[in-house]
Amino acid sequence: MIQRNTQPMHIRDGVVLGSDKPVLFAGPCAVESFDICLEIGTKVKAWADEHGFSYVFKASFDKANRTSSSSFRSIGMDKSLEVLQRVGKTLNIPLVTDIHESYQAAEVAEVVDVLQIPAFLCRQTDLLLAAAETGKAVKIKRGQFMAPEDMQYAVKKVRAAGNDNVCLTERGFSLGYHNLVVDMRGLPIMRQFAPVVFDITHSVQQPGGQGGTSGGQREFAPFLARAAAATGIDGFFIETHPEPSKALSDGPNLIPLHRMGDFLEMLKAAWTLGRTYQSFEIE
């Protein structure tokens, strides 16, 4: 029998991952400008409120793992963190962003509520400990090379540092070159160790699939999203943009902003159904 972990991740007063309300982590892939971030945050917050999600604004201050060195990385750490801080204060919402180096943890934690560990770095002990020691919530993406059951050790590293506010995120397994596949069994397996978030956007990514840049198949996002929601997980991660074709990072797999309201309505319906039957098991 698969038992779920009952230790929630507290993000901010009233925003708890692992409760009876799903948490939505959503925003652009990267911080491009204050205006774009504010536009996205304002609209997504309204839709999240309408459809019953707690909302955490997401944007990366640095895309440190781009396929090519010629691809856009950042408008600069200081400028990006300033944008994030302004968006958070303007909309009164919590924030999440990635860190890639241990030394970044303390500075970034002064601005955001959740520190995200990128999938490729999920085994980096010093990075996990640095994030944990800030006292902020830690969101760990499962590496494309990691078995779901092995993610318990990443969780244990964070908790061993005295921080119980930790969750895991699913984003697909590597399947050959330039392709990912989501094994839905991984969601309940990882949920035994911590609350689980499903990364809808990167599960349809095709890493390096466009010859130096990543491709994506956003047309499959609704199918994977509904399937994951039906398992009764705790939250969802979605990257969105007003004009995905002009986004500076990950355009092919971003959800167009104008479709996010309908997407969240669909997602909430599937999640509600999944939660209704989450106690149904076969031994």
Side-chain angles (χ1 to χ4, degrees), residues 14 93 95-96 140 145 180 203 273:
I93 52 176
L95 306 166
V96 59
I140 311 170
F145 48 87
L180 299 169
S203 293
L273 180 63

Side-chain angles (χ1 to χ4, degrees), residues 193-212:
F193 317 125
V196 168
V197 174
F198 182 59
D199 181 344
I200 296 167
T201 304
H202 292 101
S203 293
V204 298
Q205 186 187 54
Q206 295 176 308
Q210 293 187 340

Side-chain angles (χ1 to χ4, degrees), residues 48 64 108 154 171 184 196 229 261 267:
V108 176
R171 56 135 315 145
M184 293 296 167
V196 168
L267 194 59

Side-chain angles (χ1 to χ4, degrees), residues 14-260:
V15 182
V16 180
L17 186 71
S19 68
D20 291 331
K21 186 175 184 179
V23 176
L24 173 67
F25 301 84
C29 182
V31 174
E32 298 181 9
S33 70
F34 173 71
D35 290 342
I36 288 177
C37 287
L38 185 63
E39 177 187 359
I40 293 172
T42 300
K43 292 181 178 179
V44 174
K45 181 179 185 296
W47 287 319
D49 289 343
E50 179 183 353
H51 296 297
F53 291 84
S54 294
Y55 179 44
V56 180
F57 179 82
K58 180 272 166 186
S60 297
F61 72 83
D62 179 23
K63 302 303 297 181
N65 59 349
R66 299 305 301 272
T67 303
S68 170
S69 61
S70 63
S71 297
F72 171 81
R73 278 190 57 169
S74 173
I75 60 173
M77 182 174 181
D78 291 342
K79 289 183 179 179
S80 294
L81 291 178
E82 180 183 355
V83 167
L84 288 171
Q85 191 170 48
R86 289 178 64 193
V87 170
K89 287 184 176 180
T90 301
L91 300 178
N92 190 28
I93 52 176
L95 306 166
V96 59
T97 196
D98 313 79
I99 57 171
H100 299 85
E101 303 282 352
S102 301
Y103 73 84
Q104 297 172 339
E107 182 176 356
V108 176
E110 293 180 2
V111 174
V112 306
D113 303 87
V114 183
L115 297 173
Q116 180 167 274
I117 307 299
F120 287 128
L121 302 177
C122 69
R123 288 178 54 134
Q124 297 299 104
T125 300
D126 289 345
L127 183 62
L128 290 166
L129 294 179
E133 289 166 0
T134 67
K136 294 300 179 75
V138 182
K139 181 176 179 290
I140 311 170
K141 287 196 172 185
R142 185 192 60 75
Q144 298 91 326
F145 48 87
M146 292 286 289
E149 58 268 25
D150 290 343
M151 291 305 297
Q152 65 180 294
Y153 303 110
V155 171
K156 288 178 179 178
K157 289 177 182 179
V158 173
R159 289 182 174 154
N163 189 338
D164 289 330
N165 286 319
V166 57
C167 74
L168 294 171
T169 298
E170 170 60 40
R171 56 135 315 145
F173 295 81
S174 293
L175 180 68
Y177 301 111
H178 309 314
N179 203 6
L180 299 169
V181 64
V182 178
D183 182 352
M184 293 296 167
R185 294 175 298 180
L187 299 175
I189 289 172
M190 291 195 298
R191 203 161 176 246
Q192 295 175 104
F193 317 125
V196 168
V197 174
F198 182 59
D199 181 344
I200 296 167
T201 304
H202 292 101
S203 293
V204 298
Q205 186 187 54
Q206 295 176 308
Q210 293 187 340
T213 61
S214 292
Q217 296 177 304
R218 71 169 65 94
E219 65 270 24
F220 290 109
F223 299 97
L224 291 181
R226 290 196 297 268
T231 69
I233 55 172
D234 306 288
F236 303 91
F237 179 100
I238 307 175
E239 290 181 343
T240 182
H241 196 279
E243 297 182 87
S245 63
K246 295 182 179 179
L248 299 181
S249 178
D250 272 0
N253 44 277
L254 302 183
I255 304 300
L257 182 60
H258 74 276
R259 295 305 309 277
M260 279 292 289

